[in-house]
Amino acid sequence: MELYSSIFTRKSTRNFTSTPLPDSKLKEIEAFIETVKPLIPAAKITYKLVGPEGVKGMGVPKAPHYFLIYGEEQQLRNTCAGFLFQYAELFLYSQGYATRWVGMIKPKESDADFIIGMAFGEPKEPAIRSLADFDRKPMKEISEGKDSRIEAARLAPSGLNGQPWYFIAKNGAIFVYRQKKINGLPGMMYKLTDLDVGIALCHLAVATEESGKEFEFLLSKGAPAAPDGFVYLGTVK
């Protein structure tokens, strides 16, 4: 698995073939998800793997498979969901498949615990890009202090490409903050900035593991003051 290198070339797509993945590959993907250590030990995030017949919603890309992601009300629920399923996205990409987070998707059967969906399958065209093709904020706008792992988080995908995160690197730790809301009219309707930070935290975790260290996320006190418009979420060791 090349999860770390996938961060620097992955690209979302709306254009999938209709060819389903083999059952053996779907089982392999589900087995991988079971191996991912949750962001918070007590987090209870579940999912359903469905085909096109199991989803509805405007603007949903046509794909052979979808993850429908759920979670009971709990601490940092959406952040934990983003963290877990960005691992799934990187795994799929490392296997030659493509994905897309889909905020407008809904399960055919309504469920109050539903959070978000993800489409995946074989791409119609290569879902790959160079580092120069990423449309991301410069490091100085999303962080202060120095830690090489932050570059991986900077490249994380996010709803509306809002990039609603901020990192302060200090004394070997990375303090993580979430923007309360994305600016502008679209941001008034978007409610998943906490999930987006979970996606970025996954990239931080993969970068930490790539360096040979164990990723640790703490809900601790004593963090530097949050920048204006942000709230503190936790600390990465």
Side-chain angles (χ1 to χ4, degrees):
M1 294 183 298
E2 293 293 337
L3 301 188
Y4 181 70
S5 62
S6 294
I7 289 172
F8 300 91
T9 59
R10 57 153 296 282
K11 180 182 179 181
S12 297
T13 185
R14 297 188 65 88
N15 300 312
F16 301 89
T17 72
S18 60
T19 306
L21 276 61
D23 287 344
S24 59
K25 179 58 66 174
L26 294 175
K27 290 178 181 178
E28 182 182 342
I29 294 164
E30 292 185 296
F32 170 78
I33 292 172
E34 291 298 316
T35 70
V36 179
K37 181 180 177 182
L39 179 66
I40 297 174
K44 295 181 180 179
I45 304 299
T46 60
Y47 70 94
K48 294 178 182 178
L49 176 55
V50 302
E53 73 286 347
V55 301
K56 62 181 180 179
M58 295 182 62
V60 175
K62 294 181 180 179
H65 306 288
Y66 302 85
F67 286 125
L68 299 176
I69 303 164
Y70 302 81
E72 299 176 0
E73 285 299 328
Q74 57 193 284
Q75 190 173 31
L76 296 185
R77 180 190 75 154
N78 292 353
T79 306
C80 291
F83 179 84
L84 174 58
F85 277 87
Q86 185 60 14
Y87 263 101
E89 193 213 40
L90 293 175
F91 177 77
L92 282 159
Y93 184 83
S94 74
Q95 300 290 302
Y97 301 109
T99 65
R100 187 176 188 89
W101 286 94
V102 189
M104 299 300 290
I105 201 171
K106 298 291 183 183
K108 279 288 179 68
E109 298 181 4
S110 61
D111 189 319
D113 291 336
F114 177 71
I115 302 170
I116 195 171
M118 178 185 288
F120 70 95
E122 294 183 357
K124 284 187 176 179
E125 66 275 331
I128 188 170
R129 57 182 159 181
S130 68
L131 194 57
D133 293 329
F134 281 83
D135 178 18
R136 297 292 188 269
K137 297 175 183 177
M139 191 71 77
K140 65 182 180 181
E141 290 187 18
I142 65 157
S143 66
E144 64 180 78
K146 299 291 184 181
D147 192 304
S148 61
R149 295 175 291 174
I150 296 176
E151 173 63 6
R154 187 181 76 87
L155 298 176
S158 56
L160 306 178
N161 199 25
Q163 304 162 62
W165 41 67
Y166 196 85
F167 308 99
I168 297 178
K170 187 176 181 181
N171 298 328
I174 301 176
F175 300 94
V176 182
Y177 305 82
R178 173 182 64 84
Q179 190 174 358
K180 295 178 182 177
K181 64 178 181 178
I182 299 172
N183 296 327
L185 183 60
M188 294 177 65
M189 301 296 295
Y190 186 70
K191 306 297 183 182
L192 291 173
T193 55
D194 49 353
L195 184 139
D196 292 335
V197 178
I199 293 173
L201 279 166
C202 168
H203 284 204
L204 277 178
V206 171
T208 301
E209 293 157 0
E210 178 70 13
S211 71
K213 299 178 181 178
E214 183 176 355
F215 176 80
E216 186 178 10
F217 180 74
L218 304 174
L219 302 170
S220 57
K221 298 181 180 180
D228 288 344
F230 287 78
V231 293
Y232 169 71
L233 282 192
T235 303
V236 172
K237 293 293 188 178

